[in-house]
Amino acid sequence: MGQTGCLLLHGFTGGAYEVNPLARYLREHTDWIISVPVLPGHGRNLRLHETNAVEWITYAEEELKRLYMYCDEIYVVGFSMGGLIAAYLTIHYPVKKLVLLSAAALYINPKQIFSDFKTVLSDTVRRRLNENEWFGHYKYKLFHTPIRSTTEFRRLASYVVPLLPKIRVPVFIAQGQMDGIVPPRAARFVYDRVGTYQKRLYLSKSSKHLICYGSDCDKLFHEIAFFLKQEKVPDNG
């Protein structure tokens, strides 16, 4: 059997850091070729005004094709918007298995955002705003995300979500129940729509949107690796 590859795709306004913990785990526990590209305009220094959804998909396609130069089998992992792109790739290319992390098939969870915002206000009163992880992560994004780019993201979602029934390969779907960006019900929404009976649903009670940094991430990574190595995946719906 030839080499196995795994492509990991980050989310909208994000970068490789969003999935790097999982990438490190897979490098330590497998001999696979791991690819973690940064989509155009993304990364630590955002330049989203220079790019669009077509370029994001095209770049991911190019990275996938590069992996096929060295690998006989390829798994694709997508976080948030990267999950939408990963689903698109799985439909159009011979991807072996698909992993969706906090996939942005639905987005904005007002209840959790309000909870997080109350924490920010509380930290402001206590003069600890700079120590608040949520505030630090999203402050930069808030001021460097053009409205046009948000429209591009929504256009991507509206195009890919109706295609979910075309996914026929085994799928692992993970979601944090404290997610303030993608509502937790999105996981079941995706689970019910993907067109395969070989699918698994993993719900983390403690994780927010950045599920690869959740308190139970080690368990999550173990479950993902086990899923990818399995010959046959049972339906746990």
Side-chain angles (χ1 to χ4, degrees):
M1 184 176 177
Q3 183 67 55
T4 298
C6 188
L7 176 66
L8 293 90
L9 301 171
H10 64 76
F12 178 59
T13 74
Y17 63 90
E18 292 178 322
V19 292
N20 271 339
L22 174 57
R24 284 193 294 269
Y25 183 93
L26 294 177
R27 288 190 180 106
E28 292 171 0
H29 293 83
T30 72
D31 60 355
W32 303 341
I33 297 176
I34 308 297
S35 175
V36 191
V38 177
L39 301 175
H42 290 74
R44 292 293 184 180
N45 298 308
L46 296 177
R47 302 179 309 282
L48 292 171
H49 63 283
E50 302 174 2
T51 64
N52 57 53
V54 172
E55 292 178 0
W56 304 336
I57 292 177
T58 301
Y59 191 82
E61 284 181 308
E62 292 172 351
E63 291 299 313
L64 181 63
K65 291 175 182 177
R66 262 193 278 272
L67 271 181
Y68 276 120
M69 295 172 62
Y70 308 99
C71 304
D72 295 329
E73 289 188 355
I74 295 179
Y75 310 130
V76 178
V77 178
F79 166 75
S80 195
M81 183 190 76
L84 299 177
I85 298 176
Y88 173 90
L89 296 178
T90 300
I91 292 166
H92 291 88
Y93 294 88
V95 171
K96 187 73 173 179
K97 291 183 181 180
L98 172 65
V99 176
L100 300 175
L101 306 174
S102 311
L106 305 174
Y107 40 89
I108 305 303
N109 178 0
K111 182 177 180 180
Q112 185 58 41
I113 287 179
F114 180 70
S115 175
D116 288 335
F117 184 64
K118 286 196 297 183
T119 301
V120 171
L121 289 179
S122 175
D123 285 353
T124 301
V125 172
R126 298 172 186 170
R127 300 182 183 277
R128 292 192 294 108
L129 188 57
N130 289 334
E131 299 175 16
N132 184 282
E133 182 180 0
W134 185 90
F135 180 84
H137 181 70
Y138 292 105
K139 178 183 177 182
Y140 176 82
K141 293 185 178 187
L142 180 64
F143 293 102
H144 291 81
T145 304
I147 294 177
R148 185 180 72 84
S149 297
T150 303
T151 301
E152 288 292 311
F153 159 67
R154 289 176 182 250
R155 183 176 295 128
L156 173 61
S158 65
Y159 174 71
V160 174
V161 170
L163 301 179
L164 292 177
K166 293 186 177 183
I167 295 175
R168 302 296 182 186
V169 304
V171 182
F172 184 101
I173 301 163
Q175 180 78 37
Q177 293 184 314
M178 300 298 289
D179 195 329
I181 304 300
V182 175
R185 63 189 174 88
R188 175 59 67 171
F189 176 89
V190 173
Y191 184 93
D192 289 341
R193 283 162 177 76
V194 292
T196 178
Y197 290 105
Q198 295 190 69
K199 50 190 176 181
R200 292 191 59 192
L201 183 61
Y202 178 97
L203 299 177
S204 168
K205 293 182 179 180
S206 59
S207 293
K208 294 188 179 183
H209 190 54
L210 292 172
I211 195 168
C212 287
Y213 290 87
S215 59
D216 62 346
C217 65
D218 286 341
K219 179 182 177 183
L220 170 64
F221 298 163
H222 173 79
E223 293 291 334
I224 291 172
F226 179 77
F227 164 82
L228 293 176
K229 293 176 182 179
Q230 273 183 299
E231 289 297 324
K232 185 175 178 63
V233 179
D235 180 355
N236 73 332

